[in-house]
Amino acid sequence: MEALIPVPVLLPLLAAGIKLAIGARLRHLQGVISIFALAVNLVVSAVLLAQVDQHGPMVARIGGWETPIGISLVADRLSALMLVTSSAVTLCVMVYSVVSAYDRQEDVAPMAIFHPAFLVMLAGVANAFLTGDLFNLFVAFEMLLSGSYVLLTFGGTQSRIRAGATYTVMALMSSMLFLIALAIVYAATGTLSIAQLAVRFADLTPQVKLLVELFLLLAFAIKAAIFPVSGWLPDSYPTAPAPATAVFAGLLTKVGVYAIFRLEALLFPGGPVGTLLLWAALATLLLGVLGAVAQTDIKRMLSFTLVSHVGYMVMGVGLATVAGLAGAVFYAVHHMTVQTSLFLVAGLIERRSGTTSVNRLGGLMRKAPLLSVLFFVPAMNLSGIPPMSGFLGKLALIQAGLEVGGALPIALVAAALVTSLLTLYAVAKVWGKAFWREPQGEGESRADAGEEQMERSAANTPGLYGPVTALVMLGLAYTVLAGPLSSLTERAADELLARQPYITAVLGSG
Amino acid sequence: MTISLVPLAVCGLLVAAGMTLLLERSLARVLAGVILLGNGVNLLILTTGGDAGDPPLLGRAEPDQMADPLPQAMVLTAIVITLGVTAFLLSMVHRAWQLRGSDEVSDDTEDRWVRLRARRGQLGERVRARQAEYDRLVAEQRAELHAELRDEPTRGERMAHRRADRRRLKARQREARKQMRRAIRAERERQALALDPELEGDE
């Protein structure tokens, strides 16, 4: 069973290599390879999750080296759960991008690089979830970032280059901070294996510990787009191609959040940083959603809600209780799915109408009923209408906050409620303008172009609705499966906070 | 283990210079900043390995005299990654130069929004100032004419003068109004240009 652990990392890399090798010659084969690789990934991660849930954390020692010497990959409940969710989401996005590329008859050349970049990024994401070594985590980040640089600047248009510049420089900053943190960690402890660090950090002086923790936290916070360092996200995401934005929104920030889960629960339990995290969560929640309310472009609005809702997960980590962490993990699973499906729907709207600006859209409700349903359901899910999973996740976090009590957690609970309400306002605004009102009187030429586009997309988009519908249904399925899922997240949080199962599994009982 | 301050000072210098360049607008300078920053951080990692020693893994020295191989391996990885990112940034610089003729990073959407709003406010203010000025001018002219009219001696002359004056006054007022309208229209047009509701196209 341990042999399965590296598969989610290796398979996408292998598929990317094969695709680069066959190049643009066999286009249909390219799509089949990506979808096959991701489907196998999904199955493997599901098997891993089942195994890990029954038998505790599993460790794969790469190259057969003992743990403190070699790098190990570790699957526990948290990482396996994140892996399953990310595989399911990326499979849908991959199907979407394959179908959309065939529909558009796009140039063969950009597509030849799109899929390998996408797959390398997914390998990086899987590696980040599974790795048991801090330096390997850095390498995983770099893998997923280099894939995302290519996807974000895809086609090299002016707006994408501009967005790419912001994104690349921010990502580089966080990588450099991470490297500096790694140097300090290695100088202070002489190891980079996470499990061994969890043991050795206990012997450090509080000052060094705090320094290391803040450095790592800042590096991860930039990736997760937590408030003081979240400004880059709404500016760079909306310009990328729809499948790329969707998967960035679903996965990349969650990788940062996952790293913070590990950092706070495993490496620095009960540190003084919890309060800081709560403040950051408060600011992220409110400022993000206020940004979302002000936007007139659907993609930008969604980017701001993405920033805002990262605050919910940070809130769960900051509370540092089993209930809080379980709520955060549940929310991460929900948010990955829902945010991705919303960005894909925004992509569909753009294909249909040629714009995502609510000032120009209108009457989509009558023109495209299916599209409206596909937007409405995840939008309500995101803003937390019962009984959808967004409601359940927020409920869990709010209960956890009330359990902890105290001024700051109560303020956070209030902020969480306000954010939920304002999210509803922001999506309702989009709904009212783009879907409900009468179609907008457009200039002649634009109307013609729109008509043409509509005809074209009406002829060949049915294939695109499939993966989006699947994602929306997955978001709804979390409600049906809420019982097992929340007990699973609770066990995951339990295991994470107990620390010992992870450390014992990696280092052995000695 | 002895700590040598020179590498640490050099690495501090490199990081500081890199950060300064990173804050520049020109992408080429940002690229130089990334290279310096990367080198500074790599040097930092290398110094964490402790004292220099004999080559490890070859079996030519006792383990306690070997240099720590792990930071060297990490630095190699980091160098390779920095190389890749540098190449990517370089291609981005080239692309930006191809597209715009310069490699300056333009403002983001929110910045442009704020700037446009400010410019709109300024223009509105200027229109109001112009209008107030014309109002004042017209009032002045009227007062002047009235003063002239009061000075006129005989009644017949006065009537003739008054008619002529009234015509002149009306013509001047018409002219003034026309000018004012033209000016306001020009301002409005500039305002409309600045408005650009979608902000989607690049400037």
Side-chain angles (χ1 to χ4, degrees):
Chain A
M1 270 304 144
E2 274 80 22
L4 280 182
I5 298 177
V7 170
V9 184
L10 293 180
L11 204 59
L13 280 182
L14 194 66
I18 293 174
K19 280 151 150 310
L20 280 176
I22 62 174
R25 271 162 291 178
L26 303 162
R27 286 180 59 200
H28 287 276
L29 192 61
Q30 290 230 346
V32 171
I33 290 174
S34 325
I35 293 172
F36 176 74
L38 294 185
V40 172
N41 247 3
L42 177 59
V43 174
V44 168
S45 0
V47 171
L48 274 181
L49 180 61
Q51 283 290 320
V52 166
D53 195 28
Q54 278 184 351
H55 306 300
M58 294 198 301
V59 184
R61 295 186 166 80
I62 305 299
W65 292 92
E66 282 305 305
T67 289
I69 299 168
I71 290 170
S72 46
L73 295 183
V74 188
D76 64 353
R77 288 192 184 107
L78 174 65
S79 52
L81 180 61
M82 297 299 259
L83 208 56
V84 170
T85 317
S86 71
S87 311
V89 168
T90 46
L91 179 61
C92 291
V93 177
M94 190 42 117
V95 173
Y96 177 97
S97 73
V98 167
V99 174
S100 82
Y102 288 142
D103 276 359
R104 282 193 170 179
Q105 301 298 319
E106 262 175 3
D107 286 355
V108 183
M111 175 165 160
I113 194 64
F114 185 88
H115 280 189
F118 198 93
L119 288 168
V120 167
M121 187 175 82
L122 299 187
V125 170
N127 195 3
F129 286 150
L130 286 173
T131 187
D133 182 279
L134 267 192
F135 193 78
N136 198 231
L137 184 62
F138 168 74
V139 175
F141 275 156
E142 289 305 314
M143 262 160 81
L144 70 89
L145 285 177
S146 51
S148 70
Y149 297 150
V150 175
L151 292 179
L152 197 84
T153 53
F154 195 65
T157 60
Q158 194 164 321
S159 55
R160 283 186 189 165
I161 290 288
R162 199 202 59 70
T166 320
Y167 179 78
T168 315
V169 172
M170 275 319 280
L172 275 170
M173 270 304 299
S174 101
S175 300
M176 290 301 160
L177 283 171
F178 195 5
L179 268 182
I180 294 174
L182 287 178
I184 302 173
V185 168
Y186 188 73
T189 62
T191 181
L192 287 171
S193 153
I194 293 178
Q196 206 171 19
L197 283 176
V199 178
R200 287 199 189 170
F201 270 141
D203 307 332
L204 290 184
T205 56
Q207 288 89 342
V208 177
K209 234 168 105 171
L210 188 65
L211 179 75
V212 170
E213 186 176 6
L214 286 179
F215 255 110
L216 288 173
L217 193 64
L218 186 57
F220 298 153
I222 293 177
K223 299 231 153 59
I226 294 167
F227 162 60
V229 283
S230 63
W232 58 271
L233 191 146
D235 202 48
S236 50
Y237 275 16
T239 51
T245 319
V247 80
F248 286 5
L251 300 188
L252 296 198
T253 50
K254 303 308 172 301
V255 173
V257 171
Y258 168 84
I260 293 178
F261 283 171
R262 277 266 176 261
L263 182 74
E264 289 303 309
L266 191 62
L267 291 183
F268 300 97
V273 173
T275 320
L276 184 72
L277 275 176
L278 289 180
W279 279 110
L282 188 76
T284 311
L285 278 169
L286 291 177
L287 293 172
V289 84
L290 287 177
V293 166
Q295 298 306 314
T296 56
D297 184 283
I298 298 180
K299 282 181 171 179
R300 281 183 73 82
M301 186 278 287
L302 288 176
S303 305
F304 273 101
T305 59
L306 169 61
V307 171
S308 167
H309 286 224
V310 166
Y312 282 113
M313 291 159 240
V314 179
M315 170 184 169
V317 187
L319 292 173
T321 59
V322 173
L325 213 53
V329 176
F330 187 93
Y331 204 83
V333 170
H334 144 82
H335 197 242
M336 267 180 178
T337 316
V338 169
Q339 197 77 46
T340 308
S341 44
L342 277 170
F343 269 108
L344 281 186
V345 172
L348 283 178
I349 294 175
E350 193 170 25
R351 280 174 71 89
R352 198 183 157 86
S353 317
T355 177
T356 50
S357 161
V358 290
N359 289 334
R360 287 209 226 132
L361 290 168
L364 279 175
M365 175 86 159
R366 266 194 296 150
K367 284 191 278 186
L370 179 58
L371 187 59
S372 314
V373 174
L374 287 182
F375 177 81
F376 187 74
V377 172
M380 291 301 116
N381 201 340
L382 182 74
S383 46
I385 298 291
M388 297 194 211
S389 52
F391 167 73
L392 298 173
K394 291 182 180 79
L395 185 67
L397 284 168
I398 288 170
Q399 276 178 341
L402 291 177
E403 251 170 49
V404 172
L408 190 54
I410 300 292
L412 252 178
V413 167
L417 291 170
V418 170
T419 303
S420 166
L421 193 66
L422 285 177
T423 308
L424 181 63
Y425 173 63
V427 294
K429 222 173 72 170
V430 168
W431 175 256
K433 277 196 167 171
F435 291 87
W436 250 359
R437 72 171 168 178
E438 292 299 305
Q440 288 307 285
E442 290 162 333
E444 280 298 309
S445 58
R446 186 172 287 162
D448 284 349
E451 211 66 33
E452 197 180 299
Q453 183 136 14
M454 236 172 273
E455 260 168 42
R456 208 186 58 181
S457 53
N460 50 22
T461 43
L464 285 181
Y465 285 91
V468 183
T469 315
L471 259 184
V472 173
M473 296 308 281
L474 183 62
L476 288 179
Y478 295 147
T479 304
V480 182
L481 300 173
L485 185 61
S486 65
S487 71
L488 177 64
T489 55
E490 224 155 87
R491 270 173 282 151
D494 225 9
E495 185 183 70
L496 197 58
L497 281 178
R499 300 173 73 223
Q500 213 48 53
Y502 186 95
I503 296 172
T504 315
V506 179
L507 294 181
S509 46
Chain B
M1 167 177 166
T2 52
I3 295 178
S4 154
L5 278 180
V6 177
L8 288 179
V10 169
C11 119
L13 193 71
L14 285 174
V15 169
M19 269 315 295
T20 314
L21 283 173
L22 210 59
L23 296 173
E24 291 278 333
R25 277 225 156 180
S26 153
L27 266 182
R29 285 174 189 229
V30 168
L31 176 67
V34 167
I35 296 171
L36 284 184
L37 195 58
N39 284 342
V41 174
N42 287 346
L43 191 60
L44 179 67
I45 296 180
L46 210 54
T47 56
T48 61
D51 296 336
D54 293 330
L57 301 179
L58 293 178
R60 291 203 303 226
E62 292 300 309
D64 55 345
Q65 284 160 1
M66 289 176 183
D68 189 349
L70 194 57
Q72 299 178 7
M74 292 196 294
V75 162
L76 265 183
T77 317
I79 287 174
V80 172
I81 290 172
T82 317
L83 173 75
V85 175
T86 307
F88 179 79
L89 266 177
L90 197 58
S91 71
M92 226 161 74
V93 172
H94 181 65
R95 186 77 188 163
W97 178 77
Q98 269 183 332
L99 285 169
R100 293 166 47 104
S102 81
D103 63 348
E104 302 246 314
V105 181
S106 49
D107 290 342
D108 64 20
T109 313
E110 299 289 321
D111 276 350
R112 265 147 65 191
W113 216 305
V114 170
R115 205 178 53 221
L116 285 179
R117 184 160 284 182
R119 209 192 296 164
R120 235 156 68 204
Q122 274 173 8
L123 284 177
E125 213 128 88
R126 231 185 288 165
V127 167
R128 271 194 297 280
R130 210 31 95 81
Q131 206 147 12
E133 198 184 321
Y134 277 117
D135 285 350
R136 194 177 48 81
L137 220 68
V138 167
E140 242 171 45
Q141 281 172 8
R142 195 173 283 158
E144 213 173 275
L145 277 168
H146 276 298
E148 267 179 40
L149 288 180
R150 255 197 311 277
D151 292 344
E152 288 303 323
T154 64
R155 196 161 178 270
E157 267 179 2
R158 209 159 56 207
M159 290 303 281
H161 265 288
R162 194 178 283 173
R163 270 198 296 279
D165 279 342
R166 200 169 284 160
R167 264 202 301 281
R168 220 169 55 220
L169 171 68
K170 274 199 177 145
R172 272 170 72 176
Q173 278 186 344
R174 221 175 5 250
E175 188 58 33
R177 262 204 300 276
K178 217 183 274 172
Q179 251 181 33
M180 182 175 82
R181 258 188 239 124
R182 210 177 302 133
I184 288 178
R185 201 177 307 131
E187 290 290 349
R188 286 264 155 77
E189 259 162 34
R190 269 162 56 193
Q191 211 173 348
L193 273 182
L195 239 162
D196 182 18
E198 298 306 331
L199 274 169
E200 269 164 5
D202 284 284
E203 280 170 300

